[in-house]
């Protein structure tokens, strides 16, 4: 996916953004019939930035919780763990040949433990489904508000301020990541986890879901087809070696992903070793993995509170990187079209953040149920995470795929591959090689056409009405492409009917 779609599209967006020197909407003045692609990019950026900040609020929540004298997920705390399945590492010994303990062994498998562990139980409070959404969870709402305040403060001064913040945001995470890598690799069972991670199962290449997962990783890791790359590269010098930049960043992105995977699977291997279960039983997919494997790794370090604070600060900073690009893309693109907003950057930024905050509140809702466990009264079950997943799958998933395909068609097939090559030769001094031309014209759009998967949240299937809402959200951006194209055609001045007859 990286070779046939990710890397070519990443280079293409950086190159055309640098050549045009404008945002993702104004860029399409070169091909007016496709200007809806730029509008759709801005809309997707706005949708993604709404729910992405919700995920950032989780990291703030964990970071605050880490200031306790003992991190909550290091013990069987009734507020963070299901007491029926909670297991403190090293607290029991399981004899695999004892039939009673064998049943306990599977009961204690991480697949069941971590389904009800920390994030899902105390932070998310998952409900039975999207139908059961409930009311706003005030502590997460405050964390979400804090996230938006930080983003606004970093963006009010414009692109130069966010650029300075990124110097720290892009380097600090590597320090934490390498510390966790060393910590993970020295644990008993870590090697089994790493081998599970790097050993290929070639038959899985026939499974379309593997390619779908690769595409999702590629899109969000490289941030293609959301307009942010075009916006940022528009600030480059015209003759900047964007070809070198694209290659370096895409390769480093892949290396970083591999290192992150080694950290994750080394810890999962250590977990499997502690519970004496196969590694397959502890592997769990989804973004929640960052809130399961990594906190467990932090417990294996001295002074886990300090490392937990640093780790979740790192996640928050990484989120800021993406949030900058998403929100700045919206602000820059809209300001390019409505120049009066350029002198009201602060007001525009604050107003957009307030709107996004209130729209994002349904993602931090919960349902209040009362039940007693160990004589403690709890209120649990959140429906907001189902809303977040819905927004991610449709507003930031299906819509992005459609935009990517339309982008390839607009730039390569309508504006023209030959013109793109001429422009890049004028800017860089050499024409793109055959690899780039083939992947732009054929492989990228064809592969992306084959990628789609039905929406699920683990075992939960979304009802039809929720899928309808999701498609409506996706259409907010997707329909802009054909609508703008139709409007553009009708606005063009052409020969009269008489002239055509003559």
């Amino acid at each position: 996916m990286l070779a046939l779609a990710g890397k070519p599209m990443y280079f293409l967006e950086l190159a055309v953004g640098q050549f045009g020197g404008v945002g993702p909407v104004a860029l399409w003045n070169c091909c007016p019939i496709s200007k809806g692609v730029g509008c759709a990019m801005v809309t997707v950026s706005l949708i993604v930035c709404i729910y992405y900040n919700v995920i950032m609020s989780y990291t703030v929540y964990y970071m605050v919780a880490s200031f306790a004298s003992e991190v909550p997920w290091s013990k069987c705390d009734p507020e963070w763990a299901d007491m029926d399945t909670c297991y403190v590492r090293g607290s029991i010994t399981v004899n695999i040949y004892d039939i009673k303990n064998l049943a306990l062994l599977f009961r204690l498998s991480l697949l069941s433990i971590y389904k009800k562990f920390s994030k899902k139980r105390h932070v998310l409070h998952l409900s039975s489904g999207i139908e059961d959404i409930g009311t706003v969870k005030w502590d997460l709402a405050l964390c979400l508000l804090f996230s938006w305040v930080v983003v606004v403060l970093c963006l009010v001064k414009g692109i130069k301020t966010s650029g300075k913040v990124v110097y720290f945001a892009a380097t600090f995470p590597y320090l934490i990541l390498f510390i966790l890598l060393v910590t993970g690799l020295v644990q008993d069972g870590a090697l089994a986890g790493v081998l599970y991670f790097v050993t290929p199962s070639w038959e899985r290449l026939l499974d379309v879901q593997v390619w779908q997962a690769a595409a999702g990783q590629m899109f969000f890791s490289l941030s293609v087809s959301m307009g942010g790359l075009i916006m940022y590269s528009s600030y480059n010098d015209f003759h900047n070696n964007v070809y070198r930049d694209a290659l370096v960043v895409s390769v480093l992105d892949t290396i970083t992903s591999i290192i992150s995977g080694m950290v994750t699977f080394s810890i999962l291997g250590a977990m499997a070793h502690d519970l004496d279960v196969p590694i397959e039983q502890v592997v769990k997919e989804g973004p929640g993995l960052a809130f399961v494997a990594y906190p467990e790794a932090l417990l294996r370090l001295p002074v886990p509170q300090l490392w937990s604070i640093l780790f979740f600060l790192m996640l928050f900073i990484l989120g800021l990187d993406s949030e900058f690009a998403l929100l700045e893309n919206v602000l820059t693109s809209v300001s390019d079209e409505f120049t009066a907003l350029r002198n009201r950057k602060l007001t525009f930024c604050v107003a957009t953040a307030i709107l996004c905050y209130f729209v994002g509140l349904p993602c931090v809702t919960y349902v209040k149920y009362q039940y007693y466990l160990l004589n403690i009264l709890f209120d649990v079950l959140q429906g907001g995470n189902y809303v977040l997943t819905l927004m991610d799958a449709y507003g930031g998933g299906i819509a992005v795929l459609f935009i990517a395909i339309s982008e390839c068609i607009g730039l390569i097939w309508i504006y023209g591959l030959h013109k793109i090559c001429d422009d890049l030769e004028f800017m860089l001094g050499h024409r793109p090689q055959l690899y780039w031309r083939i992947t732009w014209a054929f492989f990228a759009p064809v592969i992306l056409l084959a990628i789609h998967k039905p929406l699920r949240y683990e075992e939960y299937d979304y009802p039809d009405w929720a899928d309808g809402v999701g498609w409506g959200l996706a259409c907010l951006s997707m329909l802009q492409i054909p609508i703008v194209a139709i409007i553009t055609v009708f606005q063009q001045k052409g020969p009269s009917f008489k002239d055509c007859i003559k």
Side-chain angles (χ1 to χ4, degrees):
M1 286 302 304
L2 181 70
L4 298 179
K7 191 187 292 285
M9 293 192 65
Y10 187 81
F11 175 43
L12 179 64
E13 289 196 9
L14 288 184
V16 297
Q18 179 173 305
F19 183 85
V22 291
V25 177
L27 173 76
W28 292 96
N29 291 333
C30 71
C31 182
I33 197 172
S34 297
K35 195 165 188 175
V37 175
C39 299
M41 286 179 172
V42 175
T43 305
V44 162
S45 292
L46 187 62
I47 294 172
V48 173
C49 111
I50 290 171
Y51 71 79
Y52 199 89
N53 228 354
V54 174
I55 299 175
M56 289 171 60
S57 71
Y58 298 157
T59 69
V60 175
Y61 192 99
Y62 268 78
M63 188 163 52
V64 173
S66 301
F67 281 94
S69 58
E70 186 177 9
V71 288
W73 52 89
S74 65
K75 57 186 178 181
C76 287
D77 185 341
E79 291 190 3
W80 284 73
D82 188 315
M83 301 304 291
D84 292 334
T85 58
C86 183
Y87 161 64
V88 178
R89 180 166 46 92
S91 62
I92 64 169
T93 302
V94 178
N95 182 357
I96 196 169
Y97 298 104
D98 186 329
I99 189 64
K100 293 182 180 179
N101 283 342
L102 183 61
L104 177 63
L105 173 69
F106 285 100
R107 192 179 180 191
L108 292 177
S109 71
L110 289 183
L111 191 59
S112 63
I113 294 171
Y114 285 105
K115 277 185 179 179
K116 299 179 180 179
F117 178 76
S118 61
K119 176 171 173 276
K120 287 194 174 180
R121 181 175 177 82
H122 186 65
V123 183
L124 293 187
H125 292 260
L126 288 179
S127 71
S128 58
I130 196 171
E131 308 92 336
D132 205 8
I133 188 170
T135 57
V136 173
K137 194 170 185 289
W138 67 268
D139 44 4
L140 273 179
L142 288 177
C143 292
L144 180 60
L145 178 62
F146 173 81
S147 297
W148 276 112
V149 169
V150 173
V151 170
V152 170
L153 290 177
C154 292
L155 281 180
V156 289
K157 299 268 184 164
I159 192 73
K160 292 184 178 179
T161 302
S162 61
K164 292 176 182 177
V165 174
V166 168
Y167 280 125
F168 173 74
T171 54
F172 172 70
Y174 282 98
L175 173 63
I176 303 298
L177 194 61
F178 278 109
I179 291 173
L180 292 177
L181 178 63
V182 173
T183 303
L185 291 177
V186 299
Q187 304 298 320
D188 292 336
L191 180 59
V194 173
L195 290 177
Y196 183 86
F197 171 55
V198 300
T199 304
S201 300
W202 298 110
E203 68 277 5
R204 295 291 304 279
L205 290 178
L206 300 177
D207 184 358
V208 69
Q209 290 190 351
V210 172
W211 294 90
Q212 291 165 349
Q217 165 70 8
M218 176 267 294
F219 270 103
F220 278 92
S221 189
L222 293 175
S223 298
V224 296
S225 299
M226 295 185 194
L229 296 177
I230 296 174
M231 180 272 300
Y232 272 136
S233 63
S234 69
Y235 292 96
N236 286 345
D237 293 333
F238 184 76
H239 293 292
N240 173 63
N241 190 350
V242 69
Y243 176 77
R244 174 204 58 204
D245 294 347
L247 288 182
V248 170
V249 172
S250 58
V251 170
L252 288 179
D253 176 80
T254 303
I255 293 174
T256 304
S257 297
I258 293 173
I259 294 174
S260 301
M262 291 184 68
V263 173
T264 301
F265 278 85
S266 64
I267 299 304
L268 293 175
M271 291 177 178
H273 177 270
D274 290 342
L275 292 172
D276 197 19
V277 297
I279 185 70
E280 306 87 61
Q281 293 188 24
V282 302
V283 174
K284 181 171 174 18
E285 66 175 335
L289 189 59
F291 297 91
V292 174
Y294 285 97
E296 167 69 14
L298 299 169
L299 294 178
R300 299 166 187 259
L301 290 169
V303 195
Q305 295 92 335
L306 172 62
W307 293 107
S308 295
I309 292 169
L310 291 176
F311 172 74
F312 290 112
L313 175 63
M314 176 198 78
L315 286 187
F316 182 75
I317 290 172
L318 284 173
L320 282 180
D321 276 356
S322 299
E323 197 70 16
F324 287 159
L326 293 167
L327 190 56
E328 184 67 43
N329 180 37
V330 175
L331 300 178
T332 299
S333 301
V334 176
S335 298
D336 284 345
E337 295 299 308
F338 303 97
T339 54
L341 293 174
R342 292 179 182 176
N343 298 325
R344 297 182 177 87
K345 180 67 179 282
L346 176 60
T347 304
F348 183 33
C349 183
V350 172
T352 304
I354 292 174
L355 174 65
C356 291
Y357 172 73
F358 283 106
V359 174
L361 284 179
C363 295
V364 292
T365 55
Y366 79 117
V367 184
K368 188 169 184 179
Y369 288 100
Q370 292 187 344
Y371 73 99
Y372 285 89
L373 179 63
L374 302 180
N375 295 321
I376 301 175
L377 180 65
F378 295 102
D379 51 10
V380 297
L381 302 184
Q382 175 172 335
N385 208 55
Y386 296 105
V387 179
L388 187 151
T389 304
L390 187 77
M391 295 178 69
D392 179 33
Y394 287 100
I398 294 173
V400 173
L401 285 174
F402 184 76
I403 291 170
I405 296 168
S406 302
E407 182 182 16
C408 286
I409 294 173
L411 286 174
I412 304 302
W413 290 100
I414 300 179
Y415 178 70
L417 177 61
H418 183 72
K419 288 183 180 178
I420 287 284
C421 293
D422 289 343
D423 294 340
L424 298 191
E425 183 178 17
F426 176 68
M427 181 174 68
L428 302 176
H430 58 85
R431 294 182 73 81
Q433 298 172 347
L434 181 63
Y435 161 74
W436 301 108
R437 300 198 298 271
I438 292 178
T439 51
W440 287 340
F442 178 73
F443 284 111
V446 169
I447 288 176
L448 295 177
L449 277 171
I451 296 172
H452 174 63
K453 61 180 177 180
L455 179 58
R456 289 174 60 89
Y457 188 89
E458 296 180 356
E459 292 84 8
Y460 174 70
D461 282 313
Y462 278 72
D464 292 340
W465 69 264
D467 285 322
V469 171
W471 278 109
L473 185 64
C475 288
L476 280 179
S477 53
M478 292 166 56
L479 287 181
Q480 295 184 61
I481 298 174
I483 290 175
V484 172
I486 293 171
I487 293 174
T488 302
V489 170
F490 275 96
Q491 286 180 340
Q492 297 303 308
K493 294 181 179 179
S496 66
F497 182 72
K498 280 186 179 180
D499 293 333
C500 292
I501 295 297
K502 293 179 180 178

